[in-house]
C-alpha cells in the first residue's frame, strides 16, 4: 500500500523518516481506500467523520477506528454503510461503551466489532512491558528517551535520524567551552545549522539541548538532559540563539554542518577566534561519525573520538613526526591527525585525535617544540 496521512502536529521530517506522505484532511479522506483513525477525542475531533465527510469519500472505502468512539458520527456511519459508500467498518471503540445490544451499528452485517480491548491483549501488555524496561535501561545509560512525559516529544524515528548529529552537537559544545579562558564568562552562544531542508522541516530542540549539555557539564556538576536543558541554561544566564542556513543539496541528509560560536570571551587557544571575534568550532557527520571540520578560520578534519590536541604552528616539514614521536614515547595512540593552513610555510593548525590522555610532561614537551606557537588539550 501507498501510505498517506493527515496529522496537524507531525513534522515533514518525521513523516519522511517513516516513509509516509503528509497530505491535508480533504485529500486524505477523498483519496484513501482504507481510513484508519488514531487521535484523542477533543472538540476539534468530535464527529470528525460525519455525513459531509462520508460524502467526499471513495465509494467502497473501508474504515478502521481503534481511537475513540466519538470521532465518528455513528448514525452517519450507518447511513454511509447502507448507501454503499462505506463497504466495511471495523470498530474497537464506541460513543457509548458498552454499546446497546440493539445498536444498528453493532448489528450491521458489514461491521466488525471488538469490545475496546486493543490494550488488553497478551501481546500489547507484553509489548508495553518490554518498551518500559528498555526505556528505563536506556535512560540509566544516559541515552535519549523518546517517551519521557516531561520532555518535548521527539518521535523515535526522528531520534534515530538525528542520533549522530546529537553526538556531534554535544561534542562541539564541549570543545567550545574548553577553549574559553575563564569559563564563568560564557553568556552568549550562537548555533548555526546548515541544511538543505526548509527551516520548518528540521526539529532542533534535541540538538540545542545537547549543545547546552556540552557547554555546561564540563564546567559544573549539573547533569543536563532534554528535560532540564533550557531551564539549566536560563538559570546560568546562558543565552543560546539558533540560526538555520538553507543550502543546496539533498534533503535526505538532515544536516550538512553545525557551527557553535561563543561571543564576548577570551580564548586559551587564540587560533579558535574567528575573524569576527568569536570562538568558533564547526563539525559534520561523515559516515555516521562526528568530525571537527573547522576551528576559528582554520579548516581541519578530525574524528571526534577520544580527545583532541590542537596546535598552532609554523607550517614546516617534520613537525607532525616530532609531535607523533613525543606521544608515541608515552604510548599515547594517535587516531587521527589533520592540518589546516593559510598557505604553505605559513601559519597552520594541527588537530590530533588521541585515544589516551597525555601526561603533563608530554604536553609540555609538545609546547616546547620551536615551531609550535600555542597548543591546547581538549577532553571529549
Amino acid at each position: 500500500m501507498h501510505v498517506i496521512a493527515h496529522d496537524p502536529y507531525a513534522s515533514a521530517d518525521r513523516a519522511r523518516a517513516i516513509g509516509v506522505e503528509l497530505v491535508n484532511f480533504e485529500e486524505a479522506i477523498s483519496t484513501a481506500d482504507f481510513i484508519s483513525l488514531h487521535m484523542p477525542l477533543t472538540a476539534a475531533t468530535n464527529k470528525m467523520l460525519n455525513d459531509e465527510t462520508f460524502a467526499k469519500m471513495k465509494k467502497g472505502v473501508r474504515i478502521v477506528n481503534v481511537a475513540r468512539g466519538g470521532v465518528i458520527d455513528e448514525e452517519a456511519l450507518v447511513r454511509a454503510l447502507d448507501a454503499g459508500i462505506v463497504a466495511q467498518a471495523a470498530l474497537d471503540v464506541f460513543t457509548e461503551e458498552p454499546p446497546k445490544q440493539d445498536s444498528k451499528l453493532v448489528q450491521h452485517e458489514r461491521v466488525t466489532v471488538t469490545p475496546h480491548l486493543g490494550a488488553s491483549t497478551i501481546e500489547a501488555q507484553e509489548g508495553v512491558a518490554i518498551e518500559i524496561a528498555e526505556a528505563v535501561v536506556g535512560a540509566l545509560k544516559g541515552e535519549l528517551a523518546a517517551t519521557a512525559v516531561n520532555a518535548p516529544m521527539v518521535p523515535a524515528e526522528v531520534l534515530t535520524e538525528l542520533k549522530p548529529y546529537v553526538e556531534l552537537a554535544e561534542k562541539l559544545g564541549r570543545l567550545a567551552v574548553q577553549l574559553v579562558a575563564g569559563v564563568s564568562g560564557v553568556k552568549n552562544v550562537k548555533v548555526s545549522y546548515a541544511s538543505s531542508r526548509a527551516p520548518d522541516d528540521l526539529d532542533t530542540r534535541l540538538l540545542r539541548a545537547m549543545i547546552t549539555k556540552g557547554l555546561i557539564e564540563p564546567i559544573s556538576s549539573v547533569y543536563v538532559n532534554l528535560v532540564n536543558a533550557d531551564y539549566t541554561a536560563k538559570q546560568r544566564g546562558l543565552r543560546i540563539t539558533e540560526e538555520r542556513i538553507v543550502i543546496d543539496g539533498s534533503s535526505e541528509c538532515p544536516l550538512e554542518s553545525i557551527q557553535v560560536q561563543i561571543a564576548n570571551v577570551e580564548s586559551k587557544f587564540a587560533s579558535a577566534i574567528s575573524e569576527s571575534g568569536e570562538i568558533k568550532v564547526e563539525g559534520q557527520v561523515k559516515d555516521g561519525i562526528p568530525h571537527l571540520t573547522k576551528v576559528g578560520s582554520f579548516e581541519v578534519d578530525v574524528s571526534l573520538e577520544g580527545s583532541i590536541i590542537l596546535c598552532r604552528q609554523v607550517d614546516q616539514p617534520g613537525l607532525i613526526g616530532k609531535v607523533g614521536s613525543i606521544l608515541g614515547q608515552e604510548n599515547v595512540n594517535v587516531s587521527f591527525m589533520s592540518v589546516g593552513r593559510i598557505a604553505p610555510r605559513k601559519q597552520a593548525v594541527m588537530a590530533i585525535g588521541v585515544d589516551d590522555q597525555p601526561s603533563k610532561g608530554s604536553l609540555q614537551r609538545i609546547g616546547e617544540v620551536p615551531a609550535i606557537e600555542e597548543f591546547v588539550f581538549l577532553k571529549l
Side-chain angles (χ1 to χ4, degrees):
M1 291 185 177
H2 172 64
V3 182
I4 61 174
H6 169 68
D7 187 336
Y9 306 105
S11 62
D13 59 340
R14 177 187 178 190
R16 187 184 299 108
I18 58 174
V20 172
E21 178 189 355
L22 280 184
V23 298
N24 60 40
F25 178 71
E26 296 293 326
E27 184 177 349
I29 63 169
S30 64
T31 60
D33 299 293
F34 292 80
I35 296 176
S36 182
L37 302 176
H38 308 268
M39 63 195 68
L41 179 60
T42 66
T45 62
N46 185 38
K47 295 186 178 180
M48 177 178 278
L49 297 193
N50 49 47
D51 286 314
E52 182 181 350
T53 50
F54 284 127
K56 297 176 181 178
M57 295 180 188
K58 282 184 175 181
K59 189 170 183 179
V61 68
R62 287 162 169 80
I63 293 175
V64 177
N65 185 18
V66 294
R68 292 290 181 266
V71 302
I72 296 180
D73 181 336
E74 293 180 350
E75 293 180 358
L77 176 57
V78 171
R79 289 191 287 271
L81 285 160
D82 290 340
I85 296 172
V86 177
Q88 289 178 295
L91 309 172
D92 185 53
V93 289
F94 309 90
T95 302
E96 180 185 344
E97 295 183 357
K100 294 178 181 178
Q101 288 189 359
D102 61 352
S103 164
K104 290 183 178 180
L105 185 63
V106 173
Q107 298 296 331
H108 204 286
E109 63 181 358
R110 291 200 296 276
V111 175
T112 303
V113 297
T114 49
H116 203 155
L117 49 68
S120 303
T121 62
I122 292 174
E123 292 84 356
Q125 290 294 304
E126 182 179 275
V128 169
I130 292 171
E131 184 178 345
I132 291 170
E134 289 176 343
V136 171
V137 170
L140 291 173
K141 287 181 176 179
E143 297 174 1
L144 299 166
T147 52
V149 297
N150 58 342
M153 179 185 171
V154 180
E157 59 272 14
V158 176
L159 278 180
T160 300
E161 184 182 48
L162 289 181
K163 186 175 180 180
Y165 301 94
V166 165
E167 187 179 355
L168 172 65
E170 180 181 350
K171 290 189 174 182
L172 287 176
R174 287 183 176 273
L175 282 178
V177 78
Q178 290 181 75
L179 290 167
V180 175
V183 288
S184 60
V186 177
K187 298 297 179 186
N188 295 295
V189 177
K190 179 180 177 181
V191 183
S192 300
Y193 309 99
S195 173
S196 56
R197 294 186 182 177
D200 60 351
D201 196 13
L202 178 65
D203 190 339
T204 61
R205 292 172 300 174
L206 182 56
L207 300 174
R208 184 179 68 243
M210 293 302 102
I211 289 169
T212 304
K213 178 183 177 75
L215 290 166
I216 292 176
E217 285 191 352
I219 59 173
S220 73
S221 58
V222 177
Y223 177 77
V224 180
N225 54 37
L226 184 58
V227 176
N228 68 358
D230 287 342
Y231 174 78
T232 303
K234 184 177 179 181
Q235 288 291 99
R236 292 179 167 268
L238 179 60
R239 182 171 178 266
I240 299 178
T241 59
E242 295 177 292
E243 175 186 42
R244 305 185 191 194
I245 303 169
V246 179
I247 60 173
D248 294 331
S250 171
S251 60
E252 290 296 316
C253 177
L255 282 166
E256 175 65 23
S257 66
I258 301 175
Q259 184 184 98
V260 177
Q261 298 180 58
I262 303 179
N264 305 318
V265 292
E266 295 181 359
S267 176
K268 61 179 70 172
F269 187 69
S271 300
I273 301 291
S274 66
E275 294 176 355
S276 53
E278 301 92 3
I279 288 178
K280 181 189 291 184
V281 292
E282 186 175 307
Q284 297 178 328
V285 171
K286 299 183 179 183
D287 297 323
I289 304 296
H291 279 241
L292 176 67
T293 55
K294 198 167 189 179
V295 178
S297 301
F298 292 89
E299 294 186 0
V300 296
D301 188 4
V302 59
S303 172
L304 289 174
E305 300 173 281
S307 298
I308 290 178
I309 300 171
L310 293 177
C311 303
R312 184 183 71 193
Q313 78 258 0
V314 177
D315 185 36
Q316 60 181 241
L319 196 56
I320 293 176
K322 288 179 183 178
V323 174
S325 295
I326 293 171
L327 294 171
Q329 289 169 12
E330 199 178 318
N331 201 31
V332 174
N333 191 51
V334 174
S335 55
F336 286 94
M337 186 175 288
S338 174
V339 176
R341 61 187 186 177
I342 299 172
R345 308 279 180 163
K346 301 293 185 182
Q347 275 195 336
V349 165
M350 178 165 55
I352 308 165
V354 292
D355 295 332
D356 316 286
Q357 181 169 345
S359 66
K360 289 183 179 179
S362 292
L363 292 174
Q364 184 176 348
R365 288 172 60 198
I366 291 174
E368 291 171 351
V369 174
I372 292 179
E373 299 172 343
E374 64 171 343
F375 77 96
V376 64
F377 174 74
L378 304 170
K379 196 170 184 179
L380 298 176

